[in-house]
């Protein structure tokens, strides 16, 4: 009897329609920002506060002791060590995927 039940169950599974492939309910949101004239435009990662403050800081920030104290407090790492780690990782090749360009030539984000 147990064998018969298993055969019936397998036969029912074969007759049943295959499971539908799950789809997304909505597309991923793209980052947008409002320009000076009030229009919504695509956000460029190179104008974000993170990029401007930490990735490409101005010389005035680098000489400011308050900047270094705030960086240390936020990230538990002196800014000089962050720069060393960034240089080491940039040269190591572990993150080539994010340092290269795509087939069209756009740099990765």
């Amino acid at each position: 009897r147990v064998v018969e039940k298993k055969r019936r169950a397998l036969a029912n599974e074969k007759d049943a329609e295959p499971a539908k492939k799950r789809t997304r309910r909505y597309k991923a949101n793209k980052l947008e920002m409002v320009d000076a004239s009030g229009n919504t435009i695509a956000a460029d990662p190179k104008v974000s506060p993170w990029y401007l403050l930490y990735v490409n800081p101005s010389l005035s920030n680098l000489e400011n002791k308050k900047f270094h104290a705030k960086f240390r407090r936020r990230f538990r790492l002196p800014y000089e060590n962050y720069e060393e780690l960034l240089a080491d990782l940039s040269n190591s090749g572990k993150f080539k995927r994010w340092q290269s360009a795509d087939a069209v030539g756009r740099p990765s984000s």
Side-chain angles (χ1 to χ4, degrees):
R1 290 183 170 177
V2 175
V3 174
E4 287 180 33
K5 286 182 182 179
K6 286 184 181 180
R7 284 185 189 162
R8 282 189 215 143
L10 287 174
N12 288 340
E13 286 179 13
K14 290 178 183 177
D15 293 340
E17 293 181 25
K20 291 183 180 179
K21 185 177 179 182
R22 294 184 68 168
T23 59
R24 290 185 178 172
R25 293 181 184 211
Y26 54 89
K27 291 185 178 183
N29 295 332
K30 294 183 180 180
L31 295 177
E32 295 179 339
M33 59 187 268
V34 179
D35 63 359
S37 62
N39 298 326
T40 304
I41 58 172
D44 182 16
K46 293 190 177 183
V47 296
S48 69
W50 166 260
Y51 187 86
L52 296 174
L53 288 174
Y54 304 119
V55 178
N56 192 17
S58 64
L59 290 176
S60 61
N61 276 349
L62 293 178
E63 296 171 358
N64 188 351
K65 288 184 179 183
K66 191 173 182 180
F67 168 78
H68 289 280
K70 187 183 281 189
F71 188 90
R72 172 84 170 109
R73 208 172 37 248
R74 287 183 177 173
F75 302 106
R76 307 281 186 220
L77 179 73
Y79 189 78
E80 292 79 20
N81 290 10
Y82 161 75
E83 286 182 321
E84 290 173 17
L85 285 172
L86 183 63
D88 291 345
L89 291 173
S90 296
N91 297 331
S92 72
K94 291 183 180 180
F95 297 98
K96 280 186 180 180
R97 177 179 178 182
W98 293 279
Q99 293 174 340
S100 61
D102 64 2
V104 181
R106 291 180 300 208
S108 57
S109 57

